[in-house]
Amino acid sequence: MATIPANAGITVPSQAAVTLDHLGDDEIFGEGKKPGFDIRYVIAAIRTNLLVFVAIIIAALTLALVATMLDTKRYTAVASVQINDQSQRVLGNAEENQSEVNGVWDTDRFLQTQVDVLKSRALALRVIKRLRLEGNAKFYEQMEAGAPGSGASPSAVRELTIGLLRSNMLIKLPRTSRVAMITFESTDPVLSAQVANAFAEEFIQASLQQRYDSSAYARNFVANQLQDAKGKLEESERNLNDYARSAGLIRTRNLEQGSSGNEGDAGSGASSVTTASLLQLNAAASQAKANRIAAEARLGSLNSKSLLADRDAMQNPAVQQLFTQRAEVEAKLQDELTRHLEGHPNVRQLRAQLKVIDGQLNMAAQNVRTGVRAEFEAAVATERQLVAQVSALKTATLAEQDSSVQYNLLAREADTNRALYDGLLQRYKELNASAGISTSNISIIDAADPPQGPSSPNLMKNLAYALLAGLGIAAVTTFLRNQFDDTVRVPEDVEHKLELPLLGVIPRSRDSDLLEELADPKSAVSEGYNSLRGALLYSTSHGLPKSLLVTSSQPSEGKTTTSYAIAQGFARMGRKVLLVDVDLRRPSLHRRIGLDNEKGMSTLLTNQDSIHHVVKPSGLTNLDVITSGPVPPSPTELIASTRMEELIEELSARYDVVVFDSPPILGLADAPLMSALVDGVIFIIESERARRGSLKAALRRLRTMRPMLLGAVLTMFDPNKAGNRYSEYYGYDYYTYSPSDKKKG
């Protein structure tokens, strides 16, 4: 790759630097992921439809203002009550001064239940009776409801009154609070306060009445159950004692219960004297067996090795003392042997002492073994004696168990009846102590006062709602208008509507002669093509493609100008560039740059000329041109021939970049055929002319040849138009040089 000069003036937009080596086929050919949400695009749509957007919002606000002025004033009164899940007892000790109202439900469910009670039909009936609202003509007038006729049935009047109360009452209970707000709305402030306070007071009265009624029912039910349980307990206790006396069973069950105060299960908590003795002797026999096994193992260890090799023998104090004496005598003997011979009296005396000590050691070790044997024999005798006693007690226990089957059945029945009786008795005492004497768990925090001003209609709130509704309707309208508008107007439309990467944006030329504006490096058009040139340098993983095809969906969208500008830009960078006109039907490149068209691509493809005969200098350094040549009778056959493929390979070998100016895609097969032969395709789109339908149709035709589609270039874009000013390319002319700057440059 050639080195880019420092003064080349290349601007590489970040969105146009497209790398293709990590993309799949769908993404390369424009069928990748959908474009995400773009706030700029939303703002663009709003500004495009600004008049409609503002008109809808103004209409909504006007309707809200008129409705507010015509609406009747209503007043809302608020009463607040605190709902606790515990209530104080009037009687009870320090540990029982609280009683849980919702012992089974969690707090959230309990509070929601209380809210449902406030909204209930039964509570509304209590309020109606308290305030005498049923059939009250003034009440119906204040509620803006027609009074029931004289022929209306009492049930119909009651239902109407209940419906008016419940529909105009609202209960609010925040999740982080236990204070419920009772609000009531009517056209009379005094009535609103009376109804709100009545709901709060009747809610408390209904809660107390319900608790008293449920307590009375529970007391009667528990009293009847208590009498039945008492009779069953007395009968089961008598049957148990009679059977124990007749069977001669002495059980420790009653003694254990009397000392502990707890009644255990008849099968586990009760036992006989024989069973207790068996358990104790069995435990002792198991311990004796363990002792015998340990003594036997110790004796076997002593018998399997020498006397003095046993650890127990070595730990004997007498043996340790003898070993100490023997060591001292051996030390003296060794000292004497260094000075005297074996027959010396001192040597013989010391050897005699060693012999005596060895005999004492053997005797002490033998005594240890004898003691271990005696322990083993004693353990064997103890084990045999305990096993015999256990066997005797097993026989007696088995005989007693046969007689205990019926006793256990009677004992279980007695225990069950006693537990049932004690529970019912305790519950009956609690109900008698607490019936009707506990305070309510609901208390009024703030009573409702007649409101000083109306709560509705609220002008600001209605205007806010109207504004939100207007914004919503305007947004939907704008969205629908934008969806049905398929014209590509701004650079963002290329990515949103066509899902193509944007390589560059070329502004609309302000001069009549576009070539002169291209020749001016400080013009806006030149800057746009410089950005396009920079994007092409990094459009693939290996950099600039060797051969480029410039095409569009329809004629006169700027293909020829773009082809010439790209070729001119790379030539100025020092690249050897060839610009080829392959529009064999309506060629225009030769007229644009002032060359004759007697020879060109058509004569090359028909083998009438060689390459060096048709290549013409453009007048710019490093830039050569091949015009289209005479119009052939069948351009498609020439482009589809093998000669075209050979020419592209040969031209790519001679030049650094070969730029092909092709005919449009729609209606012709030339551009799709050429796209399969080149290294990259540039798709030209004219701003505010191209439609999404025709562009997608052109792209579908192009993609059938599986080309390397580099991206799109938006030409003739006017950022100063009102509809285009939302685009991120608005202000494109900020860096446009003034005439004085151009002269200085």
Side-chain angles (χ1 to χ4, degrees):
M1 182 180 293
T3 304
I4 301 174
N7 58 354
I10 299 173
T11 304
V12 183
S14 59
Q15 63 180 0
V18 182
T19 303
L20 300 177
D21 58 344
H22 64 285
L23 299 178
D25 291 341
D26 291 341
E27 291 175 321
I28 290 175
F29 297 104
E31 299 174 359
K33 61 183 181 180
K34 300 292 183 183
F37 178 79
D38 190 348
I39 187 64
R40 297 190 306 270
Y41 198 76
V42 174
I43 297 174
I46 293 175
R47 291 191 177 182
T48 303
N49 303 274
L50 187 59
L51 293 179
V52 176
F53 200 90
V54 173
I56 292 175
I57 294 177
I58 292 176
L61 293 175
T62 303
L63 289 175
L65 180 60
V66 173
T68 301
M69 302 302 292
L70 297 177
D71 196 6
T72 304
K73 293 183 179 180
R74 301 179 66 85
Y75 299 85
T76 301
V78 181
S80 59
V81 294
Q82 180 178 350
I83 305 174
N84 298 317
D85 57 351
Q86 293 182 342
S87 62
Q88 295 286 341
R89 287 183 182 270
V90 176
L91 299 180
N93 53 32
E95 290 81 10
E96 296 179 349
N97 62 350
Q98 298 283 335
S99 65
E100 290 191 1
V101 175
N102 58 330
V104 179
W105 295 347
D106 54 56
T107 303
D108 291 340
R109 291 185 178 181
F110 168 75
L111 294 176
Q112 184 58 45
T113 301
Q114 298 304 307
V115 172
D116 294 339
V117 172
L118 276 169
K119 298 177 180 178
S120 66
R121 172 189 173 87
L123 190 61
L125 282 173
R126 294 177 68 99
V127 173
I128 291 172
K129 292 179 181 179
R130 179 187 181 95
L131 299 179
R132 299 178 182 178
L133 300 178
E134 187 173 348
N136 190 333
K138 184 179 179 181
F139 168 73
Y140 299 124
E141 180 183 355
Q142 292 169 341
M143 298 304 298
E144 296 182 297
S150 58
S153 62
S155 60
V157 176
R158 185 181 301 109
E159 292 297 328
L160 174 61
T161 310
I162 293 174
L164 290 174
L165 284 181
R166 298 178 69 184
S167 61
N168 289 275
M169 184 193 67
L170 180 63
I171 307 298
K172 297 180 180 179
L173 180 62
R175 294 184 60 86
T176 58
S177 174
R178 297 172 185 264
V179 178
M181 312 300 292
I182 304 174
T183 64
F184 189 80
E185 186 181 53
S186 70
T187 59
D188 183 32
V190 177
L191 176 64
S192 298
Q194 289 177 348
V195 174
N197 289 328
F199 266 104
E201 294 170 2
E202 289 300 321
F203 181 44
I204 297 175
Q205 294 298 325
S207 176
L208 293 174
Q209 184 66 40
Q210 181 185 12
R211 191 175 308 168
Y212 179 80
D213 294 342
S214 62
S215 176
Y217 173 79
R219 288 197 309 276
N220 295 333
F221 176 78
V222 172
N224 295 332
Q225 295 295 320
L226 187 62
Q227 291 297 327
D228 295 340
K230 182 178 180 182
K232 292 180 181 179
L233 176 60
E234 292 176 353
E235 182 180 0
S236 60
E237 290 285 357
R238 284 195 299 269
N239 293 337
L240 179 63
N241 292 334
D242 292 342
Y243 181 80
R245 187 179 296 107
S246 63
L249 297 175
I250 301 175
R251 313 292 288 185
T252 61
R253 173 176 175 271
N254 293 334
L255 296 176
E256 293 172 356
Q257 292 175 359
S259 61
S260 64
N262 298 325
E263 294 187 5
D265 182 72
S268 60
S271 62
S272 64
V273 175
T274 305
T275 303
S277 300
L278 176 61
L279 293 176
Q280 294 177 359
L281 287 176
N282 188 56
S286 299
Q287 184 61 39
K289 182 177 180 181
N291 294 339
R292 188 264 302 168
I293 293 173
E296 185 177 4
R298 184 179 176 191
L299 180 61
S301 177
L302 287 173
N303 292 332
S304 63
K305 50 190 174 182
S306 63
L307 293 176
L308 296 179
D310 184 65
R311 184 180 63 179
D312 293 336
M314 294 299 297
Q315 292 177 352
N316 189 278
V319 174
Q320 291 179 355
Q321 184 177 3
L322 289 173
F323 268 110
T324 302
Q325 294 177 3
R326 191 177 187 282
E328 293 175 354
V329 173
E330 281 187 346
K332 292 179 181 180
L333 177 61
Q334 293 299 326
D335 184 57
E336 290 294 333
L337 287 175
T338 58
R339 294 180 295 176
H340 305 289
L341 296 176
E342 190 68 32
H344 192 272
N346 291 340
V347 174
R348 289 200 302 272
Q349 181 181 1
L350 290 173
R351 288 196 178 278
Q353 290 179 4
L354 284 175
K355 187 174 182 181
V356 172
I357 292 173
D358 289 340
Q360 292 175 348
L361 282 172
N362 289 331
M363 185 178 296
Q366 187 65 36
N367 291 337
V368 171
R369 179 179 292 177
T370 302
V372 172
R373 185 181 300 279
E375 291 178 2
F376 170 70
E377 293 174 353
V380 171
T382 302
E383 181 185 6
R384 290 175 181 174
Q385 183 178 4
L386 290 174
V387 169
Q389 293 179 0
V390 169
S391 299
L393 283 175
K394 281 183 179 179
T395 303
T397 302
L398 291 174
E400 188 181 76
Q401 286 181 353
D402 294 338
S403 302
S404 298
V405 174
Q406 184 63 28
Y407 179 87
N408 290 334
L409 294 175
L410 295 174
R412 289 191 183 94
E413 183 179 0
D415 289 340
T416 303
N417 291 333
R418 183 179 295 106
L420 179 61
Y421 176 77
D422 291 342
L424 289 172
L425 182 60
Q426 180 66 26
R427 183 59 179 161
Y428 185 72
K429 292 178 181 179
E430 293 175 355
L431 290 174
N432 283 333
S434 62
I437 58 175
S438 61
T439 61
S440 176
N441 62 307
I442 304 167
S443 59
I444 296 177
I445 303 301
D446 291 320
D449 294 327
Q452 299 299 317
S455 59
S456 67
N458 189 322
L459 179 60
M460 299 307 297
K461 183 184 295 185
N462 291 345
L463 289 178
Y465 289 154
L467 179 61
L468 291 177
L471 287 173
I473 297 173
V476 172
T477 304
T478 302
F479 173 77
L480 294 177
R481 287 171 60 91
N482 187 64
Q483 289 298 310
F484 287 109
D485 182 13
D486 62 350
T487 304
V488 177
R489 302 178 185 274
V490 294
E492 287 82 359
D493 288 341
V494 175
E495 297 177 349
H496 283 272
K497 295 182 179 180
L498 302 180
E499 303 169 21
L500 278 178
L502 183 64
L503 295 176
V505 179
I506 310 303
R508 184 177 295 276
S509 175
R510 298 180 181 178
D511 297 333
S512 58
D513 191 348
L514 185 60
L515 292 180
E516 291 184 2
E517 194 165 354
L518 283 174
D520 182 7
K522 295 183 178 181
S523 67
V525 175
S526 295
E527 292 291 346
Y529 280 117
N530 286 341
S531 297
L532 171 61
R533 180 184 60 190
L536 292 175
L537 285 173
Y538 305 98
S539 59
T540 66
S541 59
H542 53 273
L544 177 66
K546 293 284 290 183
S547 56
L548 294 172
L549 178 70
V550 181
T551 185
S552 65
S553 63
Q554 53 190 337
S556 303
E557 291 193 81
K559 297 185 299 298
T560 302
T561 302
T562 302
S563 302
Y564 178 74
I566 292 174
Q568 182 188 54
F570 286 122
R572 288 177 178 176
M573 290 176 57
R575 303 287 180 95
K576 189 176 181 182
V577 184
L578 176 65
L579 177 59
V580 183
D581 188 357
V582 290
D583 189 351
L584 304 182
R585 302 173 187 271
R586 296 178 60 185
S588 60
L589 180 62
H590 62 283
R591 291 192 297 270
R592 184 67 56 87
I593 58 179
L595 297 175
D596 65 83
N597 197 28
E598 296 179 359
K599 297 179 180 180
M601 281 298 295
S602 59
T603 57
L604 271 178
L605 293 174
T606 55
N607 295 319
Q608 297 177 11
D609 281 306
S610 59
I611 292 178
H612 65 276
H613 286 157
V614 299
V615 173
K616 304 171 184 178
S618 66
L620 296 176
T621 306
N622 297 325
L623 176 59
D624 294 334
V625 179
I626 298 179
T627 60
S628 64
V631 177
S634 179
T636 303
E637 293 181 1
L638 293 180
I639 292 176
S641 64
T642 57
R643 175 62 177 161
M644 174 61 79
E645 186 174 356
E646 295 172 355
L647 280 175
I648 292 176
E649 293 180 358
E650 185 176 354
L651 294 175
S652 298
R654 293 188 179 189
Y655 292 88
D656 295 332
V657 184
V658 181
V659 181
F660 294 94
D661 178 19
S662 77
I665 299 173
L666 294 179
L668 303 175
D670 301 359
L673 290 174
M674 283 292 300
S675 67
L677 303 177
V678 297
D679 296 334
V681 178
I682 302 172
F683 192 69
I684 305 300
I685 303 172
E686 182 181 350
S687 175
E688 300 187 14
R689 177 190 175 191
R691 299 281 182 175
R692 178 169 55 183
S694 60
L695 292 174
K696 283 188 171 290
L699 289 173
R700 281 194 297 270
R701 288 200 62 194
L702 199 62
R703 287 171 181 147
T704 57
M705 307 304 294
R706 307 293 290 178
M708 177 64 71
L709 187 57
L710 301 180
V713 178
L714 185 67
T715 61
M716 304 184 192
F717 173 65
D718 188 358
N720 293 317
K721 277 194 174 182
N724 297 342
R725 290 184 180 180
Y726 60 82
S727 173
E728 66 177 356
Y729 289 85
Y730 176 68
Y732 198 101
D733 292 339
Y734 179 79
Y735 292 102
T736 300
Y737 298 94
S738 63
S740 60
D741 293 334
K742 293 181 180 181
K743 292 179 180 179
K744 292 179 181 179

